[in-house]
Amino acid sequence: MTMQQGLRARKKQQTRQQISDRATELFLARGFDQVTIAEVAAAADVSKMTVTNYFPRKEDLALDLGESYIEQLAAIVRERAPGQSALAALRHAYLTAIASHDQLIGFSGEPFARMIADSSALTARVREFNDDRQEALAAALAAETGAAPGDITPRVAAAQLAGVLRVLFDEITRRTLAGETDTEIAGALTRDAEIAFDTLEPGLGNYAVR
């Protein structure tokens, strides 16, 4: 990449982040459904077309980590250590994320969680992200295990793994909306995560071992 290309890429990223930041401020202040794309554009000092070029869907202005969320589990599986199963890799990564109060697993704060809960459009988009995330994980498991095209094992494993993590995400959201602090939630979720992953151990403990 040339210096000019690097500058252009940084400029695009800065513009994208500026739009997302201004949009989030408006959504938190007034509610997602009450804010228009035109108002986001004005707040970010860009055109409406620029906003839609970076974020074709309004929901993605609020959920700008969607792509990272979708890819997260698949990436963890692809990058697991030698001798480590997919389940072990995901368990370790999740417990580490709890300790750091990682936003990708649900530590978003009460105002943000409330904004999503109050918008049917946002909750629907989160469900889409979860479906896409499960599919990405299934594809990674199939590739890592050399599964035949008709083998449903990777899809079954992905459904179990992603399903457990979806339950844990929902639990973080529930506790956040109930007013618990991140520290309180992390303590409870560490216990819950161990229970959840232990439940999967008999069936998946030796699956997709690198």
Side-chain angles (χ1 to χ4, degrees):
M1 179 181 290
T2 67
M3 182 178 295
Q4 185 176 6
Q5 289 173 324
L7 289 172
R8 188 179 301 115
R10 278 200 301 275
K11 177 62 176 176
K12 286 185 176 181
Q13 181 56 37
Q14 289 169 356
T15 300
R16 187 182 193 281
Q17 191 62 54
Q18 176 181 322
I19 293 169
S20 177
D21 289 347
R22 298 295 83 75
T24 300
E25 290 169 0
L26 290 172
F27 295 152
L28 291 176
R30 294 166 47 197
F32 176 80
D33 297 326
Q34 282 66 52
V35 177
T36 67
I37 295 294
E39 289 171 324
V40 171
D45 196 25
V46 298
S47 69
K48 184 178 176 180
M49 183 176 292
T50 298
V51 173
T52 56
N53 282 342
Y54 282 95
F55 300 94
R57 296 179 61 166
K58 181 185 172 186
E59 293 84 355
D60 294 342
L61 281 162
L63 304 169
D64 64 324
L65 295 179
E67 290 183 10
S68 298
Y69 181 78
I70 289 169
E71 179 62 18
Q72 183 188 33
L73 305 185
I76 290 169
V77 167
R78 286 193 296 266
E79 296 164 9
R80 70 197 186 284
Q84 193 174 43
S85 68
L87 176 61
L90 290 168
R91 181 198 290 258
H92 175 75
Y94 191 82
L95 293 174
T96 300
I98 291 175
S100 64
H101 302 171
D102 192 335
Q103 186 177 354
L104 276 183
I105 68 166
F107 286 93
S108 58
E110 192 276 335
F112 194 86
R114 181 75 59 189
M115 176 189 72
I116 294 175
D118 288 346
S119 170
S120 58
L122 286 178
T123 54
R125 185 62 172 144
V126 170
R127 284 195 295 271
E128 290 179 5
F129 284 157
N130 279 318
D131 290 343
D132 291 345
R133 189 187 207 204
Q134 182 175 315
E135 289 182 11
L137 176 58
L141 289 171
E144 291 292 314
T145 60
D151 187 353
I152 69 166
T153 305
R155 284 178 284 154
V156 172
Q160 294 179 73
L161 292 163
V164 157
L165 292 170
R166 189 180 304 195
V167 169
L168 293 172
F169 188 102
D170 290 345
E171 182 64 9
I172 293 176
T173 299
R174 183 189 70 79
R175 289 178 178 276
T176 299
L177 293 175
E180 295 186 27
T181 66
D182 283 353
T183 300
E184 291 171 333
I185 295 170
L189 258 291
T190 298
R191 179 197 65 238
D192 290 345
E194 293 287 11
I195 293 171
F197 286 113
D198 284 347
T199 301
L200 297 180
E201 190 67 37
L204 295 177
N206 294 316
Y207 176 68
V209 175
R210 167 160 284 176

Short mmCIF file of all heavy atoms in Angstrom, two decimals, residues 105 130 165-175:
data_model
loop_
_atom_site.label_atom_id
_atom_site.label_comp_id
_atom_site.label_asym_id
_atom_site.label_seq_id
_atom_site.Cartn_x
_atom_site.Cartn_y
_atom_site.Cartn_z
N ILE A 105 -19.09 -9.06 23.82
CA ILE A 105 -19.87 -10.13 24.44
C ILE A 105 -21.07 -9.56 25.21
O ILE A 105 -21.81 -10.31 25.84
CB ILE A 105 -19.02 -11.03 25.35
CG1 ILE A 105 -18.52 -10.28 26.59
CG2 ILE A 105 -17.87 -11.66 24.58
CD1 ILE A 105 -17.96 -11.20 27.67
N ASN A 130 -26.66 -12.64 14.96
CA ASN A 130 -26.45 -13.93 15.61
C ASN A 130 -26.57 -15.08 14.62
O ASN A 130 -25.80 -16.04 14.68
CB ASN A 130 -27.44 -14.10 16.76
CG ASN A 130 -27.01 -13.39 18.02
OD1 ASN A 130 -25.84 -13.42 18.40
ND2 ASN A 130 -27.94 -12.72 18.69
N LEU A 165 -23.46 -19.06 23.70
CA LEU A 165 -22.94 -17.70 23.80
C LEU A 165 -24.05 -16.67 23.64
O LEU A 165 -23.98 -15.58 24.23
CB LEU A 165 -21.84 -17.50 22.76
CG LEU A 165 -20.57 -18.31 23.06
CD1 LEU A 165 -19.62 -18.28 21.89
CD2 LEU A 165 -19.87 -17.80 24.31
N ARG A 166 -25.07 -17.00 22.88
CA ARG A 166 -26.21 -16.11 22.76
C ARG A 166 -26.96 -16.02 24.10
O ARG A 166 -27.39 -14.94 24.51
CB ARG A 166 -27.17 -16.60 21.66
CG ARG A 166 -28.27 -15.61 21.32
CD ARG A 166 -29.20 -16.13 20.24
NE ARG A 166 -28.51 -16.51 19.01
CZ ARG A 166 -29.12 -16.71 17.85
NH1 ARG A 166 -30.44 -16.58 17.76
NH2 ARG A 166 -28.44 -17.05 16.78
N VAL A 167 -27.10 -17.15 24.77
CA VAL A 167 -27.75 -17.15 26.09
C VAL A 167 -26.95 -16.28 27.07
O VAL A 167 -27.53 -15.49 27.83
CB VAL A 167 -27.87 -18.59 26.63
CG1 VAL A 167 -28.29 -18.59 28.10
CG2 VAL A 167 -28.87 -19.38 25.81
N LEU A 168 -25.63 -16.41 27.04
CA LEU A 168 -24.79 -15.63 27.94
C LEU A 168 -24.86 -14.13 27.59
O LEU A 168 -24.87 -13.28 28.49
CB LEU A 168 -23.35 -16.13 27.87
CG LEU A 168 -23.13 -17.55 28.42
CD1 LEU A 168 -21.72 -18.02 28.12
CD2 LEU A 168 -23.42 -17.60 29.92
N PHE A 169 -24.92 -13.82 26.31
CA PHE A 169 -25.07 -12.42 25.89
C PHE A 169 -26.38 -11.85 26.44
O PHE A 169 -26.43 -10.74 26.98
CB PHE A 169 -25.05 -12.33 24.36
CG PHE A 169 -25.02 -10.92 23.82
CD1 PHE A 169 -23.83 -10.38 23.36
CD2 PHE A 169 -26.16 -10.15 23.77
CE1 PHE A 169 -23.78 -9.07 22.86
CE2 PHE A 169 -26.13 -8.85 23.29
CZ PHE A 169 -24.94 -8.31 22.83
N ASP A 170 -27.45 -12.63 26.30
CA ASP A 170 -28.75 -12.18 26.80
C ASP A 170 -28.73 -12.00 28.31
O ASP A 170 -29.40 -11.10 28.85
CB ASP A 170 -29.84 -13.18 26.41
CG ASP A 170 -30.14 -13.18 24.91
OD1 ASP A 170 -29.72 -12.23 24.23
OD2 ASP A 170 -30.78 -14.14 24.43
N GLU A 171 -27.97 -12.84 29.00
CA GLU A 171 -27.88 -12.73 30.46
C GLU A 171 -27.15 -11.45 30.85
O GLU A 171 -27.54 -10.76 31.81
CB GLU A 171 -27.18 -13.96 31.03
CG GLU A 171 -27.06 -13.98 32.55
CD GLU A 171 -28.40 -14.04 33.28
OE1 GLU A 171 -29.45 -14.23 32.63
OE2 GLU A 171 -28.40 -13.89 34.51
N ILE A 172 -26.11 -11.10 30.12
CA ILE A 172 -25.42 -9.83 30.38
C ILE A 172 -26.38 -8.67 30.17
O ILE A 172 -26.43 -7.73 30.98
CB ILE A 172 -24.18 -9.69 29.47
CG1 ILE A 172 -23.12 -10.72 29.84
CG2 ILE A 172 -23.59 -8.27 29.59
CD1 ILE A 172 -21.91 -10.71 28.92
N THR A 173 -27.14 -8.73 29.08
CA THR A 173 -28.10 -7.66 28.80
C THR A 173 -29.14 -7.56 29.91
O THR A 173 -29.48 -6.46 30.37
CB THR A 173 -28.79 -7.91 27.45
OG1 THR A 173 -27.82 -7.92 26.41
CG2 THR A 173 -29.81 -6.82 27.16
N ARG A 174 -29.67 -8.69 30.35
CA ARG A 174 -30.68 -8.69 31.41
C ARG A 174 -30.15 -8.06 32.68
O ARG A 174 -30.80 -7.21 33.31
CB ARG A 174 -31.14 -10.13 31.70
CG ARG A 174 -32.26 -10.23 32.73
CD ARG A 174 -32.52 -11.67 33.13
NE ARG A 174 -31.43 -12.24 33.92
CZ ARG A 174 -31.26 -12.00 35.22
NH1 ARG A 174 -32.07 -11.17 35.88
NH2 ARG A 174 -30.26 -12.57 35.87
N ARG A 175 -28.95 -8.44 33.05
CA ARG A 175 -28.36 -7.91 34.28
C ARG A 175 -28.01 -6.42 34.12
O ARG A 175 -28.15 -5.64 35.07
CB ARG A 175 -27.11 -8.71 34.65
CG ARG A 175 -27.41 -10.12 35.14
CD ARG A 175 -26.15 -10.92 35.45
NE ARG A 175 -26.44 -12.24 35.96
CZ ARG A 175 -26.70 -12.51 37.24
NH1 ARG A 175 -26.68 -11.53 38.14
NH2 ARG A 175 -26.96 -13.75 37.62
#
